Structure formats: C-alpha cells, structure tokens
Amino acid sequence: MIVSNEFVQQMQMAVLDYFAGERQEMLIILSGSAVLAIVAAWLWAATRTGFAMALAITVLVSASLLSAMAVSLLVRDKGLSGNVTQALGSEQRASAISAERERISVVISLYKYYRYAAAAVGVLALAGLLLTQRGWVHGLAAGLLLLVVAQTMIDHYSEKRARLYFEKLNVMSGS
C-alpha cells in the first residue's frame, strides 16, 4: 500500500505530539514535586512538630517516587518516540502502529488500577484523621492526601492524552 508523505508526516506528528505532552507532564511532576518537598521541609524546619515531620517525610518519599517515575519515562520516551516516528516512515509502518496501539492499550487498561490504589490510600489517610488525634498521624494523612490529589490529577490528564492518542493510532491503522 502506498502512503503519501503528507499522511506519514501527520502520523509522525501525532506520535510526537503525544510524547511532547508526556514530556511536559513529567517536567510538571518534577517541578511540583520539588516545590512541595521544599515547602514541606520548610514547614518542618520552622515548626519542628510531629505533624510537620510526618508530612515532610511523606511528601519527600512521594516526591522521590513520582520524580523517579518521571525521569524514567523521560529517558525511555526519547528513544521510543524516535523509533516509532522512524518506523512510520518505513516499510515497518504497520507493525509499528500495531505495537504502539498494543502498548497504549495496556497503558489505558492500567488507569482503573491506579484509581483503586489512590482510593485505598485516600481511605487509609482519612481513617488516620478520624481515628486518632496524634499530630504525626495527621501529618502522614495530609501527605498521603496530597499524593492522592496529585496522582488523580496526573492520571486524569495522562489518561485523556493516552485515549486521544489511541484513537489517532486506530485511524492510522485503518488507513
């Protein structure tokens, strides 16, 4: 099947747009993690309370995990986007689209589990708030609730972008 250069360029732009959005999201995660970690550490340094200490530790651990995930995706995506866009301009176009559709399909299927995990962490945090008056438990709960809010926002936009990309891949595979 002969595919026009214009169509190949449109396919490549769809791939590059998706990965550019993911890169932007990862940079926001890194920036937000740094800001929250600095604020939490400052709060602990300023007050030296159990609440602030538990909040700072929870935020630092969460920020570290989110940042590690963001950096790993940034490293992976650079090569992956290049490989996919290069394959789209070659005879391997159909297999590249098929592989990318499969990868994104798996990504999309995982979002419901991320929501379950966020809900479970949120319930645990709320239980800690309701069942005790200990300051450090409230600090831990506040940090976990910040993580739940951040993860929910990240996943909302990430899933929306992945679904749109998946639709574009479906269109590409039909052409």
Side-chain angles (χ1 to χ4, degrees), residues 11 19 22 36 47 50 52-53 61 74 110 120 129 141 160:
M11 290 189 299
F19 284 103
E22 187 159 277
L36 285 175
T47 66
M53 181 183 67
V61 168
L74 286 169
L110 295 174
L129 287 173
K160 185 176 180 180

Side-chain angles (χ1 to χ4, degrees), residues 102-155:
E102 179 63 28
R103 185 184 75 80
I104 293 299
S105 176
V106 170
V107 168
I108 291 169
S109 73
L110 295 174
Y111 285 109
K112 65 181 172 188
Y113 299 111
Y114 300 154
R115 284 190 287 276
Y116 295 151
V121 170
V123 167
L124 286 173
L126 292 174
L129 287 173
L130 295 173
L131 298 177
T132 186
Q133 292 299 316
R134 294 178 188 257
W136 72 269
V137 174
H138 286 192
L140 174 66
L144 290 175
L145 289 172
L146 279 172
L147 174 62
V148 168
V149 168
Q151 191 63 49
T152 301
M153 289 174 53
I154 291 165
D155 290 346

